[in-house]
Amino acid sequence: MPAPISDVETASAPSTAAGGERRPDPKLAGAVDTARAAAEEEAVIGTDPTGSPVLVMETNGEAVGEHVGVEYESEHAATHYFETTYRGYVGWRWAVTVATSGPDDPVTVSEVVLLPGPEALVAPEWLPWSERIRPGDLGAGDLLPSGQDDPRLAEGTLPGDDDPVTELAYEVGGGRQRVLSREGRLEAAERWESGEFGPDAETARLAPGPCGSCGFFLPLAGAMRAAFGVCANSVSPADGRVVHVEFGCGAHSEGEVDTSSTIPVAEVVYDDTSLDFESRDAK
């Protein structure tokens, strides 16, 4: 939107800039009373800002508050802003656009609307349901079908990254209609690597060894085998979860616990319970 007017000229006729460019008529900025009257007429007590009688607004006798600014829209139009006292519309403003067709013509009202101000509470940008779903949102009985154009899936009869003869023979004719596409695999791999059981997790940094060397690690098949598997250790925090080969935890199969005594023992022990001595007379 245009920058707010800070210095309003009082001349009744439009002025001309140094370069010959015509400046907005200053009487537009001075039409505060005209704009306020239009806003008060629109803000009828007992109705909401859209004119619907369903929602009754409670005000303290006035729905139009202080004049908070004016902006030039063009050479012949400007918009005045007024605070609103509608409950639930904190930070919103009445915007009244006034216009004139010439220096000798009156200022008329073009539009009156209620708009959010810079600090107004507004609804977040709308997103389709498919983009609002997050992991963990799906509950028992909920349905979340995949679209026919889902880039994460490909036709089951088409070879993908994992296409050994046995797998391809299963998919063709009697297998699934769609399987993971290359994009779907890469998306899953990125999500798992950066997730709770990825190589950068704090648990992994403190583990005695990576999952790739653990006896409880079950590698995935196909292209994912080199980087991911499933943990089969019942006492591990990752039991039954997909883990990165560089993830690790304290339940590693080859982890060793130091069972030696915490009390230091010298390698050479002297028995001082008995003394051997030789008399001088024996010489």
Side-chain angles (χ1 to χ4, degrees), residues 1-5 35-36 38-40 42-43 49-50 63-73 79-97 111-122:
M1 298 181 66
I5 297 174
R36 176 181 291 277
E40 292 176 346
E42 181 70 18
T50 62
V64 181
E66 296 293 330
H67 183 260
V68 295
V70 58
E71 293 177 348
Y72 280 128
E73 304 291 349
T79 298
H80 290 267
Y81 294 97
F82 301 88
E83 293 179 349
T84 179
T85 58
Y86 278 134
R87 290 188 178 182
Y89 285 81
V90 177
W92 287 59
R93 307 178 298 181
W94 288 104
V96 183
T97 302
E111 184 181 34
V112 181
V113 293
L114 188 63
L115 297 177
E119 299 180 358
L121 179 63
V122 296

Side-chain angles (χ1 to χ4, degrees), residues 171-251:
E171 300 296 350
V172 175
R176 296 167 290 171
Q177 293 184 352
R178 292 189 293 177
V179 296
L180 274 177
S181 64
R182 179 177 179 80
E183 182 175 347
R185 298 178 197 277
L186 292 177
E187 181 180 318
E190 292 176 359
R191 187 173 63 252
W192 293 341
E193 183 176 7
S194 61
E196 181 182 358
F197 304 108
D200 296 328
E202 182 179 5
T203 305
R205 293 196 298 268
L206 301 176
C211 288
S213 62
C214 181
F216 295 103
F217 180 75
L218 300 175
L220 295 183
M224 294 288 198
R225 182 184 182 90
F228 299 100
V230 176
C231 176
N233 190 341
S234 61
V235 298
S236 170
D239 181 39
R241 306 292 294 274
V242 175
V243 296
H244 194 274
V245 293
E246 296 182 10
F247 178 72
C249 70

Side-chain angles (χ1 to χ4, degrees), residues 7-274:
D7 298 322
V8 180
E9 299 181 12
T10 57
S12 59
S15 57
T16 303
E21 181 182 355
R22 292 177 60 83
R23 300 175 61 183
D25 194 330
K27 68 182 178 183
L28 293 172
V32 178
D33 293 339
T34 301
R36 176 181 291 277
E40 292 176 346
E41 182 180 355
E42 181 70 18
V44 179
I45 302 300
T47 63
D48 71 354
T50 62
S52 171
V54 176
L55 182 60
V56 177
M57 293 292 181
E58 295 182 8
T59 62
N60 296 323
E62 294 184 358
V64 181
E66 296 293 330
H67 183 260
V68 295
V70 58
E71 293 177 348
Y72 280 128
E73 304 291 349
S74 67
E75 179 184 343
H76 301 290
T79 298
H80 290 267
Y81 294 97
F82 301 88
E83 293 179 349
T84 179
T85 58
Y86 278 134
R87 290 188 178 182
Y89 285 81
V90 177
W92 287 59
R93 307 178 298 181
W94 288 104
V96 183
T97 302
V98 295
T100 182
S101 57
D104 300 327
D105 296 324
V107 174
T108 59
V109 177
S110 298
E111 184 181 34
V112 181
V113 293
L114 188 63
L115 297 177
E119 299 180 358
L121 179 63
V122 296
E125 183 180 357
W126 183 86
L127 292 174
W129 67 268
S130 58
E131 298 181 21
R132 295 197 301 267
I133 299 297
R134 293 292 181 269
D137 290 347
L138 200 63
D142 294 338
L143 298 179
L144 184 61
S146 299
Q148 292 298 322
D149 57 348
D150 193 327
R152 299 171 301 173
L153 298 172
E155 292 296 329
T157 55
L158 298 178
D161 292 340
D162 301 340
D163 55 352
V165 176
T166 54
E167 291 186 10
L168 184 59
Y170 170 76
E171 300 296 350
V172 175
R176 296 167 290 171
Q177 293 184 352
R178 292 189 293 177
V179 296
L180 274 177
S181 64
R182 179 177 179 80
E183 182 175 347
R185 298 178 197 277
L186 292 177
E187 181 180 318
E190 292 176 359
R191 187 173 63 252
W192 293 341
E193 183 176 7
S194 61
E196 181 182 358
F197 304 108
D200 296 328
E202 182 179 5
T203 305
R205 293 196 298 268
L206 301 176
C211 288
S213 62
C214 181
F216 295 103
F217 180 75
L218 300 175
L220 295 183
M224 294 288 198
R225 182 184 182 90
F228 299 100
V230 176
C231 176
N233 190 341
S234 61
V235 298
S236 170
D239 181 39
R241 306 292 294 274
V242 175
V243 296
H244 194 274
V245 293
E246 296 182 10
F247 178 72
C249 70
H252 193 283
S253 64
E254 308 308 318
E256 297 182 359
V257 179
D258 186 5
T259 58
S260 60
S261 174
T262 57
I263 302 176
V265 179
E267 295 182 358
V268 179
V269 178
Y270 294 92
D271 185 4
D272 57 357
T273 58
S274 61

